[in-house]
Amino acid sequence: MRLSRYFLPVLKETPAEAQIVSHRYMLRAGMIKQASAGIYSWLPLGFKVLKKIENIVHEEQQRAGHIPMLMPTLQSADLWRESGRYDGYGEEMLRMKDRHGRDMLYSPTAEEMFTDVFRSYVKSYKDLPLTLYQIQWKFRDEIRPRFGVMRGREFFMKDGYNFDLTKEDALHAYNRHLVSYLRTYERMGLQAIPMRADSGPIGGDYTHEFLVLADTGESEVFYDSKVTDISLGKRDIDFDDVAQCQAVMDEFTSLYARTDETHVEAEFNEVPEDRRRVARGIEVGQIFYFGTTYSDKMGATVVNDQGDHVPVHMGSHGIGVSRLLGAIIEASHDDKGIIWPEGVTPFHCGIINLRQGDDAADAACESLYSALIAAGLEPLYDDRNERAGGKFATMDLIGLPWRITVGPRGLKNGVVELTSRKTGESVEMPPEQAAAKVVEIYASL
Amino acid sequence: MRLSRYFLPVLKETPAEAQIVSHRYMLRAGMIKQASAGIYSWLPLGFKVLKKIENIVHEEQQRAGHIPMLMPTLQSADLWRESGRYDGYGEEMLRMKDRHGRDMLYSPTAEEMFTDVFRSYVKSYKDLPLTLYQIQWKFRDEIRPRFGVMRGREFFMKDGYNFDLTKEDALHAYNRHLVSYLRTYERMGLQAIPMRADSGPIGGDYTHEFLVLADTGESEVFYDSKVTDISLGKRDIDFDDVAQCQAVMDEFTSLYARTDETHVEAEFNEVPEDRRRVARGIEVGQIFYFGTTYSDKMGATVVNDQGDHVPVHMGSHGIGVSRLLGAIIEASHDDKGIIWPEGVTPFHCGIINLRQGDDAADAACESLYSALIAAGLEPLYDDRNERAGGKFATMDLIGLPWRITVGPRGLKNGVVELTSRKTGESVEMPPEQAAAKVVEIYASL
């Protein structure tokens, strides 16, 4: 993309309403614009990152064998009356009547809809296991929306639902989700620690939240520092292998890691003192096995191999897709702006032309731009007739991980500059080598 | 995908509520499930086609230089009061109040939101031309939703908005949209004829609808049969070239082609009698230049090169993304089921194992399956332990363009069967050759 033809409305001023750094930078970098309280328009740069995150979530869910589909945002109140949640949900559920006076609502989650789809079609244990999911807009009418996309009212969420014959099978689905979530976050450059969570009114021991450590997190977290040494890395996981998924679960959840909701001081004190950490975290996902709660209420049964009708064991598993943009920025920025991890960056590499209109500089930039595109990457070429200082400030603010700077003086010596946004380090090299280096970095992800 | 692990709830019975063939087949092929009147859940197969269509629309819009972003589905009533449409829109606009009693609505279209984004950031003619678009869920509370996704209440739509300094520039944007839409439909295997449309209360000569000919279309259309001989084909279009885009516009719109809303009998009678056609059509898109209607009302101005503040010239341009699934099926089916054009098929090729459990047949299927995946295609392998007749019926119903049939008898002679869904023709050949042939077909698209 040539910046002269893009729509990137960066702001010089820090918007007064933004209390946390991710919100400030998303506004300043022209990623979002508030439309109403807790409701945002996704400007082109923000939309691009949102799609990248959505794609990673899709890829990792499908790798785990989960099947994508899509529920409508507006749902009839009837299904929610069956589960008892229509009256129970409270004011966070946005309700409305259609022109015929029928009660509707904007889906805040979708246990009922998925359970209904399941019971409409699946009759036999032979069709299990089954995990269906969607990535769809949801609405929760937060009384006090804040922190930009981190606690908005209209938000983009992945929600998945497993349907299994037995508790044992459902716990394998639970573990499979944990593994797929770990992969998902790692691909985004995030360390998200699974922490024992509170299962709320439904109860049960099987729920974990995934927390990204950040000073601005809404949750207080308590953990054994050894938990931050673990990562999934490039392990080849067979998602059908029950023992293998269980081993990952055990490895990631046996050390102490709790939010304030489940924290037990006495247990925490068993962690060696030098490894005890108290910090803040941002919740970016949750997995939850809840058994037959919904299948009982809504009659989601299958016939088992004995010919009996039995309710299916279910769980629901969510990732806050739009919230992740905020979480990533909270975890990766400096005082100049965002520092995108390579897995989610909106453009792979910036190209700055220090002297637009200079024949050699223009030609070198065009050639770099074409080379990167030919290699399947998306460069952002700042071809505007602006001062170099302004171009650098914009590039730093929007946070592309790599930048190639092209100027007449360097070109006389046959070199351009390749700069890492993260370290700030610059290395001079011939243009072809800079392009090759960037291609190599992304190929290795 | 292995069918044994997929969720494809095909129906044997024809659902009574479905009046037209696309609705019937979408229900029977397990693509959609009605959630409420005019509101559908997109089951995995339907979701897959929806995403393919969405991707084609994105690619062709971006090829034309248009920039994607995303507006929220729920919007504050205030903006719509500025344009005067809040009160004017009527009962098709779904209105609600949030928990603080603020008036909200579910966006039925987004002229106001895009105009607001534009006026918030763009101040100078130097930032023009600019075309922004989104593909997002919309809601129109149709009094009598019908025909499945063809006239639903919650629907997926691409809507784009151009902002230009002059009428002349805006008309180039109009032409650019026409060209990009023609490419879009052709990639989906559709012939969509641009027809002069009614500009409604806003007025003006510049609006065309794109109509797909189908007996079940809601519009009566009148056209010169020569118009169906024109196609864009593989022409290389420079979207910045004003004359080139104008030439395409002229070529596609100079022959008589009108809907009943703009039909003029006397003009139609000037078409040679043997070329006059009266038929029915499905509207799958519309382009519209409306000048400064919204920019005047909402104060969307830029400073021109004389230093004057002038309102921008705008147009809005839409494609009914979810509706397109219905239109494609209406245009391409037979009495056994859907016949997907290769550009939008949910899976590229079906593999039918005639004797699941036979070592040779299983091995040949696995090998074909792997070969197609390795070539970047998505096969659907029917690996269920079912009768051949049932497997064929399912494959025909869901309409994959190509099918490879593998059985022990053929394998003894070293062959499998490659079958075209469209022509029904089958050719025997060695498995490797069948895979190579399928790969070649998709590579040539």
Side-chain angles (χ1 to χ4, degrees), chain B residues 30-214:
Chain B
M31 296 179 64
I32 54 171
K33 174 181 189 295
Q34 182 173 304
S36 322
I39 301 181
Y40 291 88
S41 299
W42 294 80
L43 302 177
L45 194 74
F47 176 67
K48 228 165 149 38
V49 181
L50 188 70
K51 291 302 277 186
K52 289 234 171 171
I53 293 177
E54 180 189 13
N55 283 342
I56 290 174
V57 175
H58 268 307
E59 284 176 16
E60 294 306 327
Q61 287 308 298
Q62 290 173 54
R63 191 196 304 276
H66 306 158
I67 301 172
M69 54 175 292
L70 197 68
M71 296 300 184
T73 59
L74 294 195
Q75 305 181 354
S76 156
D78 294 341
L79 270 183
W80 291 74
R81 292 197 173 101
E82 265 191 72
S83 71
R85 288 210 289 182
Y86 185 67
D87 295 318
Y89 209 96
E91 287 200 87
E92 280 191 14
M93 179 186 279
L94 184 72
R95 297 148 207 257
M96 66 214 71
K97 282 184 192 293
D98 71 8
R99 68 190 295 172
H100 297 297
R102 288 174 294 215
D103 288 322
M104 312 275 296
L105 56 94
Y106 200 119
S107 173
T109 173
E111 280 78 5
E112 284 81 356
M113 287 291 283
F114 276 88
T115 306
D116 180 55
V117 162
F118 179 86
R119 72 179 174 183
S120 300
Y121 299 112
V122 182
K123 306 298 175 194
S124 162
Y125 75 99
K126 289 180 189 164
D127 295 324
L128 305 183
L130 179 65
T131 295
L132 300 170
Y133 79 93
Q134 67 172 344
I135 304 179
Q136 177 60 302
W137 292 93
K138 309 282 192 305
F139 197 90
R140 286 183 198 161
D141 203 356
E142 299 273 351
I143 189 159
R144 205 160 54 86
R146 59 191 179 281
F147 303 155
V149 299
M150 298 271 276
R151 188 166 288 279
R153 294 198 292 168
E154 186 167 326
F155 59 98
F156 204 38
M157 181 177 151
K158 175 263 165 181
D159 46 325
Y161 306 85
N162 67 287
F163 302 90
D164 287 280
L165 184 61
T166 63
K167 178 175 178 179
E168 192 183 6
D169 291 350
L171 290 181
H172 172 57
Y174 184 82
N175 295 344
R176 212 169 52 223
H177 277 88
L178 177 123
V179 179
S180 71
Y181 281 25
L182 290 170
R183 280 192 68 115
T184 301
Y185 299 125
E186 287 189 12
R187 281 186 62 186
M188 297 176 191
L190 280 181
Q191 181 169 48
I193 305 167
M195 298 195 180
R196 182 86 69 83
D198 181 13
S199 56
I202 291 176
D205 280 342
Y206 298 99
T207 178
H208 283 87
E209 287 177 347
F210 293 78
L211 282 110
V212 173
L213 299 177

Side-chain angles (χ1 to χ4, degrees), chain A residues 115-422:
Chain A
T115 306
D116 181 55
V117 162
F118 179 87
R119 72 179 174 183
S120 300
Y121 299 111
V122 182
K123 306 298 176 194
S124 162
Y125 75 99
K126 290 181 188 161
D127 295 324
L128 304 184
L130 180 64
T131 295
L132 301 170
Y133 79 94
Q134 67 172 344
I135 304 178
Q136 177 61 302
W137 291 94
K138 309 281 192 306
F139 197 91
R140 287 183 196 160
D141 203 356
E142 299 273 352
I143 189 158
R144 205 160 53 85
R146 59 192 180 282
F147 303 156
V149 299
M150 299 269 277
R151 189 166 286 280
R153 294 198 292 168
E154 185 167 326
F155 59 98
F156 204 40
M157 182 176 151
K158 175 261 164 180
D159 47 325
Y161 306 85
N162 67 286
F163 302 91
D164 287 280
L165 184 62
T166 63
K167 178 174 178 180
E168 193 183 7
D169 290 350
L171 290 181
H172 172 55
Y174 184 81
N175 294 345
R176 212 169 53 222
H177 277 89
L178 177 123
V179 179
S180 71
Y181 281 25
L182 290 170
R183 282 191 67 115
T184 302
Y185 298 126
E186 286 189 12
R187 281 186 61 186
M188 298 176 191
L190 280 181
Q191 181 169 48
I193 305 167
M195 298 195 180
R196 182 84 70 84
D198 182 14
S199 56
I202 291 177
D205 280 342
Y206 298 98
T207 177
H208 283 86
E209 287 178 347
F210 293 78
L211 283 109
V212 173
L213 299 177
D215 296 341
T216 48
E218 292 191 274
S219 312
E220 189 165 29
V221 298
F222 304 82
Y223 62 96
D224 181 336
S225 66
K226 271 184 79 175
V227 81
T228 58
D229 299 337
I230 319 172
S231 76
L232 203 60
K234 299 221 166 189
R235 293 183 222 180
D236 192 18
I237 306 281
D238 176 355
F239 285 92
D240 289 334
D241 186 327
V242 171
Q244 199 180 10
C245 291
Q246 184 65 52
V248 175
M249 166 63 78
D250 293 342
E251 179 185 358
F252 277 81
T253 61
S254 55
L255 293 164
Y256 191 92
R258 304 274 183 97
T259 66
D260 43 9
E261 289 179 335
T262 55
H263 177 58
V264 179
E265 196 67 25
E267 291 183 41
F268 187 49
N269 286 338
E270 288 167 23
V271 176
E273 193 167 1
D274 62 320
R275 285 173 17 205
R276 275 180 233 155
R277 297 285 184 280
V278 181
R280 300 204 69 83
I282 300 167
E283 191 219 319
V284 293
Q286 182 163 13
I287 55 177
F288 194 176
Y289 162 72
F290 49 67
T292 60
T293 310
Y294 289 92
S295 44
D296 282 336
K297 282 185 184 157
M298 297 181 65
T301 62
V302 292
V303 174
N304 67 14
D305 62 356
Q306 311 294 310
D308 301 323
H309 289 263
V310 293
V312 288
H313 286 258
M314 292 175 56
S316 64
H317 315 281
I319 293 179
V321 175
S322 48
R323 165 179 281 205
L324 272 168
L325 279 93
I328 292 168
I329 296 172
E330 291 294 334
S332 183
H333 66 270
D334 63 16
D335 58 2
K336 293 178 186 165
I338 302 163
I339 305 173
W340 290 116
E342 274 126 2
V344 298
T345 182
F347 295 96
H348 297 101
C349 178
I351 302 171
I352 284 188
N353 189 339
L354 291 175
R355 187 84 53 80
Q356 206 68 37
D358 174 90
D359 287 346
D362 290 0
C365 286
E366 290 293 338
S367 156
L368 277 166
Y369 184 66
S370 307
L372 291 170
I373 290 174
L377 297 183
E378 283 191 286
L380 180 67
Y381 171 22
D382 191 343
D383 61 341
R384 298 170 307 162
N385 208 348
E386 296 263 331
R387 287 178 313 105
K391 291 187 175 187
F392 286 126
T394 296
M395 251 346 147
D396 284 344
L397 175 62
I398 68 170
L400 310 187
W402 298 95
R403 186 186 79 207
I404 301 175
T405 309
V406 179
R409 208 161 50 187
L411 287 174
K412 274 191 191 137
N413 302 319
V415 296
V416 297
E417 211 176 61
L418 177 65
T419 306
S420 158
R421 175 69 182 86
K422 193 169 185 176

Side-chain angles (χ1 to χ4, degrees), chain B residues 134-299:
Chain B
Q134 67 172 344
I135 304 179
Q136 177 60 302
W137 292 93
K138 309 282 192 305
F139 197 90
R140 286 183 198 161
D141 203 356
E142 299 273 351
I143 189 159
R144 205 160 54 86
R146 59 191 179 281
F147 303 155
V149 299
M150 298 271 276
R151 188 166 288 279
R153 294 198 292 168
E154 186 167 326
F155 59 98
F156 204 38
M157 181 177 151
K158 175 263 165 181
D159 46 325
Y161 306 85
N162 67 287
F163 302 90
D164 287 280
L165 184 61
T166 63
K167 178 175 178 179
E168 192 183 6
D169 291 350
L171 290 181
H172 172 57
Y174 184 82
N175 295 344
R176 212 169 52 223
H177 277 88
L178 177 123
V179 179
S180 71
Y181 281 25
L182 290 170
R183 280 192 68 115
T184 301
Y185 299 125
E186 287 189 12
R187 281 186 62 186
M188 297 176 191
L190 280 181
Q191 181 169 48
I193 305 167
M195 298 195 180
R196 182 86 69 83
D198 181 13
S199 56
I202 291 176
D205 280 342
Y206 298 99
T207 178
H208 283 87
E209 287 177 347
F210 293 78
L211 282 110
V212 173
L213 299 177
D215 294 341
T216 48
E218 291 191 276
S219 311
E220 188 166 31
V221 298
F222 304 82
Y223 62 96
D224 181 335
S225 66
K226 272 185 78 177
V227 81
T228 58
D229 299 336
I230 320 172
S231 77
L232 203 61
K234 299 221 166 188
R235 294 183 220 181
D236 192 17
I237 305 282
D238 176 355
F239 285 92
D240 290 334
D241 186 328
V242 172
Q244 200 181 8
C245 291
Q246 184 66 53
V248 174
M249 166 62 79
D250 294 342
E251 179 184 356
F252 278 81
T253 61
S254 56
L255 292 164
Y256 192 92
R258 303 273 183 97
T259 66
D260 43 10
E261 289 179 335
T262 55
H263 177 58
V264 178
E265 195 67 26
E267 289 183 44
F268 187 47
N269 287 338
E270 287 167 23
V271 176
E273 193 167 359
D274 62 319
R275 284 174 16 205
R276 275 180 233 155
R277 297 284 184 280
V278 181
R280 300 203 69 84
I282 301 167
E283 191 218 319
V284 292
Q286 181 163 15
I287 54 177
F288 194 176
Y289 162 73
F290 48 68
T292 60
T293 309
Y294 289 91
S295 45
D296 282 335
K297 281 184 183 158
M298 297 182 64

